Amino acid sequence: TVLISGPGIMGQLILQLTKAMGARVIMSGTSIDQDRLKLALEMGADAVVSEPAKLLEAVHALVPDGVDVAFECAGAAASLDACIKALRKGGNLSQVGLFGKPITVDFEAILYKELVHTA
């Protein structure tokens, strides 16, 4: 199961690739991403979430232990934090989005969950 945070062009591309590989995909965005999230559903996303506060609830409803892979495509600190929280222990975090400025990251959560990080 894959979480893609950020339904822009990179998120949509990753959606297509992961679906082609047989993954279940959850796409997340915000309330301003309604058209992009609708497109994600049309392209095969299994679930979309437009309210960041409800993302973890939606993830755990589908996969109680968390997602296997999270692609952070929004380039926002809150998106990265959500990806870290949604991943299962030993999951893979792939950073795609660029932040454009220094951000704060809960590095202890990465360590405690034994996450693998790729860029």
Side-chain angles (χ1 to χ4, degrees):
T1 303
V2 172
L3 168 64
I4 302 169
S5 182
I9 193 131
M10 292 305 294
Q12 300 290 351
L13 177 62
I14 291 168
L15 167 65
Q16 292 176 59
L17 293 170
T18 54
K19 288 303 292 182
M21 295 174 69
R24 278 194 310 175
V25 178
I26 303 165
M27 175 76 78
S28 72
T30 64
S31 59
I32 64 171
D33 294 316
Q34 295 300 326
D35 290 340
R36 291 174 173 179
L37 293 171
K38 180 181 176 193
L39 177 62
L41 284 172
E42 292 169 3
M43 293 174 50
D46 297 281
V48 297
V49 179
S50 63
E51 295 182 45
K54 294 185 178 183
L55 177 59
L56 287 180
E57 180 183 323
V59 165
H60 293 300
L62 290 173
V63 280
D65 293 333
V67 297
D68 301 302
V69 180
F71 291 92
E72 196 294 311
C73 300
S79 173
L80 175 59
D81 185 56
C83 286
I84 292 169
K85 289 177 180 173
L87 280 159
R88 66 168 172 76
K89 187 172 184 171
N92 189 305
L93 173 63
S94 184
Q95 184 61 46
V96 179
L98 300 175
F99 299 102
K101 62 183 178 184
I103 63 163
T104 302
V105 177
D106 184 359
F107 200 74
E108 287 185 2
I110 293 171
L111 294 175
Y112 289 141
K113 284 191 164 188
E114 301 173 13
L115 300 180
V116 175
H117 182 263
T118 56

